[in-house]
Amino acid sequence: MRKQGADASPDFRMFETDEFQKRLEQLAVLDSRFIQRKLIEYVYPQLRKDPFFGLNIKKLKGYNPETWRYRIGRFRIFYLIDQTEKIVSILSLDNRRDAYK
């Protein structure tokens, strides 16, 4: 259980890698708008508060360093969590059919 009150930690900061930004730019206009809207309205607010838990969040097995994914429709966002620095690094964005190859 997480601590409450004075010991509660501040929100995580978000960092987008060049790879993530490149893949976002390569999407079709409608897909890009869809992803950007979801990022602003849902994904980033949730990841800032608790990047470990949520309906669309899953820790991937067999990855080193530990990697997480966030599901947005048919797309997957992959990220790392630095608990010490309180940073969530958004690594990549892939279509579901290509994500796990």
Side-chain angles (χ1 to χ4, degrees):
M1 183 169 248
R2 292 214 160 82
K3 295 180 180 179
Q4 298 293 323
D7 293 335
S9 58
D11 290 349
F12 283 80
R13 292 177 289 154
M14 306 304 296
F15 174 78
E16 295 178 346
T17 62
D18 292 339
E19 172 74 16
F20 172 76
Q21 292 174 354
K22 181 178 111 181
R23 291 195 182 232
L24 188 58
E25 290 171 4
Q26 291 174 344
L27 292 176
V29 174
L30 289 177
D31 288 336
S32 178
R33 287 182 186 159
F34 169 76
I35 294 295
Q36 289 177 358
R37 184 174 56 82
K38 292 293 185 178
L39 289 172
I40 292 167
E41 293 177 10
Y42 300 103
V43 178
Y44 287 169
Q46 181 177 4
L47 293 181
R48 281 187 181 103
K49 294 291 181 193
D50 188 357
F52 301 99
F53 180 75
L55 292 175
N56 296 310
I57 293 174
K58 181 177 181 180
K59 182 178 177 184
L60 301 178
K61 296 178 183 178
Y63 283 79
N64 188 14
E66 291 182 345
T67 304
W68 300 73
R69 74 101 168 113
Y70 194 106
R71 181 177 58 88
I72 303 175
R74 70 177 193 262
F75 295 97
R76 303 297 184 264
I77 293 176
F78 298 95
Y79 62 95
L80 301 175
I81 303 168
D82 183 340
Q83 293 183 39
T84 307
E85 298 292 325
K86 295 289 195 188
I87 297 173
V88 173
S89 298
I90 309 297
L91 301 175
S92 186
L93 167 71
D94 288 306
N95 191 305
R96 166 62 179 96
R97 70 174 180 259
D98 302 324
Y100 303 106
K101 290 183 180 181

